[in-house]
Amino acid sequence: MKLEAKNISVSIAGKNIFSNITPLFPEGSCTAIIGPNGAGKSTLLKILAALNTNYEGEIFLGGENIRKLSRKKIARHLAILPQTMQIPPDTTVARLVDFGRFPYRNLFSGGNPKEDIEITEWAISVVKLEKFKDRQVNSLSGGERQRARIAMALAQRPEIILFDEPTTYLDISHQLEVMQLIRLINEKFKMTVITVLHDINHALQYADKVIVLSGGKILQGAPKNIINAEMLVEVFGVEADIFTNSRGASILSPISIIRR
Ligand code: ADP
Ligand code: MG
C-alpha cells in the first residue's frame, strides 16, 4: 500500500510550520524523520495518519484521498504509535493489544473473534511479551510497555506503521531492542515504516531513507548523503564528527554548539 503526500503546508495559530513539502515514502522502506524540536515532525506524522486535517495539500493512501476514507479503513492499512498514550489503569497487555483489532469490528458484528485471538497472540509473540499478557500495562517497565504498544499497532495488521520518537525515556539496551524490533517489522513483515527519531545515530543505523524537517522545508535522501557535518551545522547548529564504527556503520559524535 502506497502512502503519498503532495505539497503539504501547515500553519498553527498563524505560524507557518512547513510549506509545500512533498516527502516521499517508498513502499517497503524504513524512513526516519529528524529535525530540531518544534520543527513539525509530530505534526507531519499526525497529518500522514489523518489525525490532523488542518493542512493544505493532499495525502493519498492506496491512491485514495485520505480525507475521504473512514477512520477504520485507514486503520486497516496504517497504524500510528504516538509519542504518548493514556492507558486506562486496569488494562492488561492482552486487552491493549486487542484494542488494535478495532478497525475490524463494528456495532453490528463483533468481527471475527477467532481471527482476533490469533492475530493478538501473533502480535504479542512478535514483541516477546507472552509471559506478560495478563499483566497490567501500567505495571510494566518502560521497554516492556513500549513493546506492548507496538503489539497493539501490529494487531491492526497495517502495511504502513508510523512511530513518534519510539525510544524516548529508554536506556540504551532498550533503545536498541525497540530499534531492532522496528527493523524486524520492516524487513520480516515488509511493512513500510516511517519513524520520527530524536537520535540521529538511530537514523544512520536503521533507516534506509532520511527526511530532515527544518525551517519549514525538507531535505530527503539516503542517510549517508543527507547526514553530514554541514547539515548538522546548518540544521541543528552543532559541530560534529562522523566516524565509522567496528561494524562499518557511520556514527555521529556532537562536539559543540555553534548557534541556537
Ligand atoms: P516536533 O515534533 O518537531 O518537535 P511539533 O510538530 O510537535 O514539533 O510542533 C511544531 C510546532 O507547532 C511547534 O512550534 C509547536 O509549538 C506548534 N504546535 C504543535 N501543536 C500545537 C497546538 N495544538 N497549538 C499550538 N501550537 C502547536
Ligand atoms: Mg514531536
Side-chain angles (χ1 to χ4, degrees):
M1 171 101 9
K2 222 180 166 75
L3 180 67
E4 296 161 283
K6 291 189 180 149
N7 301 317
I8 308 298
S9 302
V10 184
S11 297
I12 299 178
K15 191 176 127 208
N16 183 251
I17 310 292
F18 41 82
S19 30
N20 257 302
I21 63 169
T22 298
L24 304 173
F25 307 104
E27 249 178 299
S29 68
C30 178
T31 299
I33 301 174
I34 62 172
N37 291 335
K41 304 179 296 296
S42 297
T43 303
L44 175 59
L45 219 59
K46 284 181 197 146
I47 288 172
L48 294 172
L51 296 179
N52 178 341
T53 53
N54 294 316
Y55 61 90
E56 284 168 48
E58 318 284 0
I59 310 283
F60 297 100
L61 180 62
E64 293 186 75
N65 194 320
I66 207 164
R67 290 186 194 272
K68 299 194 175 126
L69 300 177
S70 71
R71 167 104 344 256
K72 284 186 180 174
K73 174 103 195 264
I74 295 168
R76 280 180 227 132
H77 301 285
L78 182 150
I80 180 167
L81 221 75
Q83 214 168 346
T84 54
M85 190 161 88
Q86 289 295 328
I87 297 170
D90 49 4
T91 310
T92 63
V93 170
R95 184 96 182 89
L96 180 77
V97 178
D98 181 69
F99 283 141
R101 299 301 297 157
F102 82 92
Y104 301 93
R105 294 178 187 136
N106 63 45
L107 221 55
F108 307 104
S109 93
N112 181 340
K114 189 165 165 275
E115 189 174 80
D116 289 345
I117 291 170
E118 273 168 25
I119 292 174
T120 305
E121 284 178 355
W122 165 79
I124 290 173
S125 74
V126 171
V127 303
K128 300 196 169 71
L129 280 181
E130 293 95 331
K131 290 199 184 102
F132 297 83
K133 73 182 176 52
D134 297 320
R135 277 271 297 275
Q136 294 200 3
V137 179
N138 291 331
S139 75
L140 302 177
S141 72
E144 291 155 0
R145 195 175 315 142
Q146 190 63 312
R147 275 151 55 206
R149 297 170 75 228
I150 292 173
M152 177 175 122
L154 289 175
Q156 286 175 233
R157 278 302 181 112
E159 291 106 340
I160 302 162
I161 186 160
L162 316 184
F163 299 94
D164 197 351
E165 302 200 3
T167 64
T168 307
Y169 307 126
L170 301 179
D171 66 40
I172 52 166
S173 140
H174 290 95
Q175 288 180 21
L176 199 64
E177 181 180 65
V178 165
M179 290 312 300
Q180 286 177 347
L181 185 55
I182 289 175
R183 182 143 76 186
L184 175 95
I185 289 167
N186 173 244
E187 289 181 353
K188 187 168 174 195
F189 305 121
K190 309 289 175 214
M191 293 184 198
T192 302
V193 169
I194 303 167
T195 177
V196 173
L197 293 175
H198 65 276
D199 187 331
I200 298 170
N201 280 322
H202 287 160
L204 276 166
Q205 282 178 273
Y206 296 98
D208 31 54
K209 170 165 186 188
V210 171
I211 296 174
V212 183
L213 183 57
S214 170
K217 298 199 174 343
I218 58 166
L219 276 175
Q220 54 187 331
K224 276 194 153 176
N225 298 338
I226 299 286
I227 300 171
N228 52 46
E230 200 186 339
M231 183 281 284
L232 293 162
V233 170
E234 187 83 15
V235 171
F236 293 91
V238 163
E239 182 191 354
D241 282 344
I242 296 183
F243 302 99
T244 302
N245 74 6
S246 63
R247 297 289 175 90
S250 294
I251 298 297
L252 168 102
S253 169
I255 297 171
S256 69
I257 301 167
I258 296 174
R259 66 179 156 72
R260 251 198 229 286

